[in-house]
Amino acid sequence: MLYLRDAFPRERWTEALPETAAFWLQMHGGFRAQQRHMADAAAHWRSGRLDPRGLHAALMPTLQAFLQHLDGHHRVESGHYFPHFRLIEPRIQSGLDLLDRDHDAIHAHLDALYHSAVAFHRAVAGQSSDAPDHANRLADVLDRAAPGLIRHLDDEEDIVIPLMVMKGGPAA
């Protein structure tokens, strides 16, 4: 399934990309930046540089946007793009199946992030003494979610971006 990437490796992705491929990479870049921001906020919490309210202020707006955008992005990919890609390039079926399974696994992490974030938000808003416990749990959930997400973004790009470039037309 990586024959497309071998034909159009990452090193060449700066060449005139179709608009949809460039947008896809931009979206993924945004998810990576949000993930790094959230990891940094959690690291600041763990090092004692942030108290629960500071972590809340540093983390929650990014986390909310991340959850909404990533869920929507995956819905569009699985519901629109992947079925279309299956038709135009049947040889990547197994790769698209893998990406769809990744979406399911990532959704479980998103659900856990959401529930941990709500509990943390409620604890901070209510000035609860267990806000630090909720902060630690949320930081742990962020840590567990990150590696799979980053791997998925890389895998997806290795399959999808070369396909968009090489097939052009409706895929791009």
Side-chain angles (χ1 to χ4, degrees), residues 10-161:
R10 282 182 183 267
E11 298 80 44
R12 292 182 45 209
W13 290 4
T14 57
E15 298 173 14
L17 291 175
E19 188 175 313
T20 304
F23 180 71
W24 200 298
L25 289 174
Q26 180 183 20
M27 290 292 294
H28 283 195
F31 295 136
R32 286 182 179 98
Q34 288 173 318
Q35 190 282 321
R36 280 190 305 272
H37 173 83
M38 293 184 297
D40 289 346
H44 290 332
W45 156 256
R46 287 185 173 125
S47 72
R49 288 182 272 174
L50 290 176
D51 64 3
R53 291 187 88 58
L55 176 62
H56 188 276
L59 181 62
M60 296 306 282
T62 301
L63 180 56
Q64 182 178 16
F66 177 79
L67 291 172
Q68 290 172 334
H69 293 148
L70 189 57
D71 181 61
H73 182 73
H74 283 172
R75 289 178 192 273
V76 169
E77 288 174 345
S78 289
H80 173 72
Y81 282 102
F82 292 176
H84 184 72
F85 294 159
R86 288 176 195 284
L87 295 175
I88 64 170
E89 187 52 65
R91 292 183 290 172
I92 63 168
Q93 296 286 338
S94 62
L96 295 172
D97 291 343
L98 171 80
L99 296 175
D100 270 331
R101 285 190 306 273
D102 279 356
H103 285 177
D104 293 338
I106 290 167
H107 183 78
H109 285 295
L110 297 181
D111 192 53
L113 278 170
Y114 170 78
H115 289 291
S116 294
V118 167
F120 174 60
H121 171 72
R122 288 181 179 154
V124 169
Q127 300 179 0
S128 173
S129 62
D130 65 350
D133 293 333
H134 288 288
N136 285 329
R137 277 183 241 145
L138 179 54
D140 290 345
V141 173
L142 282 165
D143 288 348
R144 285 192 300 274
L149 172 67
I150 299 305
R151 189 204 75 246
H152 170 75
L153 294 174
D154 290 342
D155 290 348
E156 190 171 273
E157 290 165 0
D158 284 342
I159 295 170
V160 168
I161 300 303

